[in-house]
Amino acid sequence: MTTSHSVHHGDALAWLQTLDTASVDAIVTDPPYSSGGMTRSDRAGSSTKVKYTGDKAQSEYADFSGDNRDQRGWGYWMSLWLGEALRVTKPGGVLVMFCDWRQLPTATDVIQSGGWVWRGLVPWIKPDSRPQLGRFTQNAEFVAWGSNGPMPIEGDCLPGYYIARAPRANEGRQHITQKPVDVVRSLVRIAPRGGLVIDPFTGSGTTGVACVHEGRRFAGCESVATHHATAVRRIATAQGAAVPDGLQGVFDLGEIA
Ligand SMILES: C[S@@+](CC[C@H](N)C(=O)[O-])C[C@H]1O[C@@H](n2cnc3c(N)ncnc32)[C@H](O)[C@@H]1O
């Protein structure tokens, strides 16, 4: 079997439009939530590192893009790329998408307005979340998933929930909203071994790293140059490949036997 991995530097919707129809086995992704922060102005602010940490000192994380849409704008934009994502996915292929509690109702609506069959929610419990005085602790994010029409009854039985800490700064975290590799390794197993998984919002490349470990092919897209470079570096390192110079545009990490 061969596995191949590539990361495109650019806009997700424009990139999806270049992919062949019915060429993808699964989309495993984590789009900007346009959520977070404590106030509306936090959400519309330009700096994601301040928004997500409330602390300018956490400046080792580059800002990321697309996180300041208002609610209607976010929903409209989501259905645009989700419709294109459906076109590139094989019949019976799967969409797996992270979202938070605030965007959950819109997320599950736009999955369906994008033409997907909404199949369910997989909670991701973060056991070390900070307790909130007089409130329920916000210690869950969600993985909403769906399929391009009917799904075949085959493949692995996967968990209905995950309990995992988010990567910490002292554990080599590269992106302020980086997801745990172990959780994403399990998620990409929704695609057949050797199948093509894409992530239009690659960030630091966690889905690509997971695909390397699980023997799935990967293609990703990331709009911020710093994160694109991080993704290429992390995926190449996971693959045991040399990390090349010159990380602009399409960068193909090639095929390995
Ligand atoms: C929530 S983060 C993904 C984090 C990733 N799961 C990880 O573990 O590192 C979303 C990423 O999508 C990127 N992004 C936002 N809008 C985009 C667009 N239109 N096209 C491509 N990437 C985009 C952001 O820069 C950000 O890095």
Side-chain angles (χ1 to χ4, degrees):
M1 182 194 301
T2 62
T3 57
S4 70
H5 309 280
S6 68
V7 189
H8 178 76
H9 177 210
D11 175 70
L13 181 56
W15 174 70
L16 284 167
Q17 286 165 345
T18 68
L19 303 186
D20 291 341
T21 299
S23 59
V24 167
D25 292 281
I27 300 180
V28 176
T29 195
D30 176 24
Y33 295 171
S34 282
S35 177
M38 296 299 287
T39 65
R40 192 166 170 277
S41 62
D42 286 342
R43 251 164 269 156
S46 57
S47 171
T48 49
K49 59 193 173 209
V50 174
K51 174 168 143 179
Y52 284 98
T53 64
D55 179 2
K56 293 188 177 66
Q58 296 250 9
S59 56
E60 73 259 34
Y61 302 110
D63 277 321
F64 67 90
S65 68
D67 205 54
N68 54 1
R69 289 181 172 86
D70 66 15
Q71 193 61 26
R72 291 190 72 193
W74 189 78
Y76 181 66
W77 171 74
M78 290 286 288
S79 28
L80 284 179
W81 74 258
L82 281 165
E84 200 53 25
L86 184 78
R87 179 189 66 78
V88 305
T89 302
K90 294 174 182 173
V94 175
L95 167 78
V96 176
M97 185 178 86
F98 282 92
C99 63
D100 73 349
W101 64 270
R102 243 191 224 105
Q103 297 296 40
L104 184 58
T106 307
T108 55
D109 281 350
V110 293
I111 285 173
Q112 295 168 88
S113 64
W116 297 87
V117 178
W118 178 30
R119 295 270 174 191
L121 289 174
V122 182
W124 165 35
I125 312 294
K126 297 178 280 185
D128 58 348
S129 300
R130 210 176 312 139
Q132 293 179 297
L133 200 60
R135 303 182 184 210
F136 297 105
T137 306
Q138 297 286 7
N139 63 348
E141 293 188 34
F142 302 92
V143 176
W145 73 285
S147 66
N148 181 3
M151 286 176 72
I153 300 174
E154 59 189 27
D156 296 341
C157 292
L158 297 170
Y161 64 91
Y162 296 96
I163 301 176
R165 288 194 293 106
R168 288 183 176 158
N170 63 4
E171 294 168 346
R173 185 171 73 181
Q174 304 285 313
H175 192 293
I176 196 72
T177 66
Q178 193 169 317
K179 300 299 180 283
V181 171
D182 286 348
V183 171
V184 183
R185 279 184 71 162
S186 176
L187 297 178
V188 301
R189 288 171 54 200
I190 196 75
R193 201 168 165 77
L196 177 61
V197 174
I198 67 167
D199 181 353
F201 306 98
T202 296
S204 64
T206 306
T207 308
V209 172
C211 285
V212 170
H213 292 308
E214 296 297 329
R216 273 68 176 169
R217 290 175 295 136
F218 175 73
C221 178
E222 168 58 45
S223 58
V224 173
T226 310
H227 298 313
H228 174 263
T230 301
V232 171
R233 189 175 64 245
R234 285 182 73 209
I235 296 166
T237 303
Q239 227 177 5
V243 182
D245 295 328
L247 302 175
Q248 296 303 308
V250 178
F251 185 78
D252 193 344
L253 291 170
E255 291 200 330
I256 55 170

